[in-house]
Amino acid sequence: MNKIELLAPAGDLEKLKIAIVYGADAVYFGGEMFSLRAGAGNFSVEEMKEGVTFAHERGKKCYLTVNIFAHNEDIEPLGKYLNTIKDIGIDAFLVSDPGVFDLIREHDPDAVIHLSTQANMTNYKTAGFWYRMGVKRLVTARELTFEEIRLLRSHIPEDMELESFVHGAMCISYSGRCLLSNFMTERDANRGQCAHPCRWQYSLMEEKRPGEYYPIEEDDRGTYIMNSRDLCMIEHIPELIQAGICSAKIEGRMKSIYYVATVVHAYRQAIDAYYADPDNYEFNEEWLTELKKASHREFTTGFYFNQPTNLDQNYQTSAYNREYSFVGIVKSYDESTGYAIVEQRNKMTVGEEIEVFGPDISYFKQKVTEMYDFESGEAIESAPHPQEILKFKMNKPVRPDYILRKRITK
């Protein structure tokens, strides 16, 4: 049985490495131009080379997003860019614009092309068209139900793959085709610069009554009327696989390495548990509990089971739920002494309880009993400065890239 691919976001080189260490089979990322996440760190050509090498050495794949809707002024620089990166070894290009598709083919006739979700692929006739054009994989529109995906799968060639989003932010507009950001902030979502106005708070005000805001719904000072919950399908791994999806895609190129590690780790465990014994698979609630330790909005299953209703929106707030803080990442560990070298990411204080998790363990709890500044060797009571390097006493053995977190106290 071919395993479903776990595909993770990589907003920068560090996130790429963490995603792979924590169990991703493949990663997708953007270069410094021509990607729909201009706010992510994204990759220079040299970083792209390093990332692809890192992934390939571990048997993993790298997909480059070139999914803007190109304007005339984009064509010439995009051609030069494609010529610069054509020998890096990208495993596939994610494309939504037919012109970009042609341009990639001109510069690399053997390039593998995946159709981005931005292309709004919703039916098997459209799938057939793209298959004849040479597309290897379709990223389905988020608006498809399981029933539609199964029907699509039954009408397309066996060697054409389906990739679907399973976790992360949802867009109020049809597969991300949105002009709201452009209209309100002159930042074009279709060229990677979305300002996310769908998350803003809205009210109704009558022209001759300035300052008198009328409720649209739910709240007397306004509502987040376009604010979708986050997609979460970890409880439905069997349905995803049985629908014929070959790649389970996590959204979040602008999220932290802590988010990437947490989400990839949870889905890796769920997918592996299913394939270990499909007939007797049972969902483990601990996987969902772990997911909730990363910042998130309330969860929804999106369109998979039905058309979303008002219950799939959050009208009260656009804020994330944050119960845990990412406080550090292990750089090395000395088994003989039990001390780890830790790069701090948020404030830690002696006496606090933390949790430690890694790609090959669940997690364990311990108190911070002692910390030392790595350079001076002096004992310290707290570590408030970003990315301090600390010497840290661990209760159990750890490895590089294990992550430290603590519950946020209010």
Side-chain angles (χ1 to χ4, degrees), residues 246-351:
C246 82
S247 181
K249 187 171 191 174
I250 297 165
E251 183 276 339
R253 278 190 281 152
M254 295 175 68
K255 300 293 180 65
S256 69
I257 65 166
Y258 172 62
Y259 174 91
V260 172
T262 302
V263 176
V264 169
H265 189 219
Y267 276 88
R268 179 78 276 155
Q269 292 177 86
I271 289 170
D272 288 350
Y274 173 81
Y275 283 101
D277 191 357
D279 293 334
N280 297 296
Y281 172 79
E282 291 185 9
F283 178 72
N284 184 342
E285 289 291 339
E286 184 61 29
W287 302 329
L288 183 59
T289 300
E290 281 293 292
L291 277 182
K292 291 179 178 179
K293 291 181 180 179
S295 64
H296 64 281
R297 301 179 183 93
E298 294 300 318
F299 290 139
T300 174
T301 54
F303 288 80
Y304 278 106
F305 293 99
N306 49 44
Q307 295 293 313
T309 68
N310 62 309
L311 300 178
D312 296 281
Q313 303 293 105
N314 184 345
Y315 302 112
Q316 283 77 43
T317 177
S318 62
Y320 285 94
N321 295 326
R322 289 186 174 92
E323 297 181 3
Y324 282 79
S325 175
F326 169 34
V327 293
I329 184 168
V330 174
K331 293 300 183 181
S332 64
Y333 176 69
D334 187 339
E335 291 186 12
S336 64
T337 64
Y339 283 95
I341 304 304
V342 173
E343 183 180 283
Q344 177 262 27
R345 294 301 178 97
N346 278 293
K347 184 178 179 180
M348 284 185 285
T349 304
V350 171

Side-chain angles (χ1 to χ4, degrees), residues 65-132:
T65 59
V66 194
N67 56 346
I68 63 164
F69 288 101
H71 288 238
N72 291 325
E73 63 265 28
D74 296 317
I75 301 302
E76 185 176 344
L78 176 54
K80 292 178 180 177
Y81 181 71
L82 292 170
N83 195 54
T84 301
I85 65 172
K86 68 180 181 180
D87 296 323
I88 288 177
I90 300 295
D91 293 288
F93 293 84
L94 276 150
V95 175
S96 53
D97 186 316
V100 175
F101 178 100
D102 266 358
L103 204 55
I104 291 173
R105 279 280 187 256
E106 288 173 17
H107 286 80
D108 185 358
D110 297 321
V112 176
I113 306 291
H114 294 177
L115 189 71
S116 169
T117 191
Q118 292 295 119
N120 312 147
M121 205 292 303
T122 57
N123 66 80
Y124 56 81
K125 290 295 287 183
T126 301
F129 167 82
W130 284 113
Y131 181 76
R132 292 190 297 275

Side-chain angles (χ1 to χ4, degrees), residues 346-399:
N346 278 293
K347 184 178 179 180
M348 284 185 285
T349 304
V350 171
E352 289 183 316
E353 183 177 77
I354 62 168
E355 293 181 1
V356 182
F357 76 99
D360 54 348
I361 64 169
S362 177
Y363 70 91
F364 64 87
K365 296 180 179 181
Q366 74 165 70
K367 277 198 171 182
V368 180
T369 56
E370 50 187 287
M371 285 191 298
Y372 302 88
D373 178 83
F374 178 67
E375 289 190 4
S376 68
E378 294 181 2
I380 56 176
E381 289 297 310
S382 68
H385 305 299
Q387 295 186 289
E388 285 185 81
I389 304 300
L390 309 170
K391 188 176 179 181
F392 201 96
K393 182 69 173 179
M394 305 302 298
N395 289 358
K396 294 183 179 181
V398 294
R399 295 182 180 180

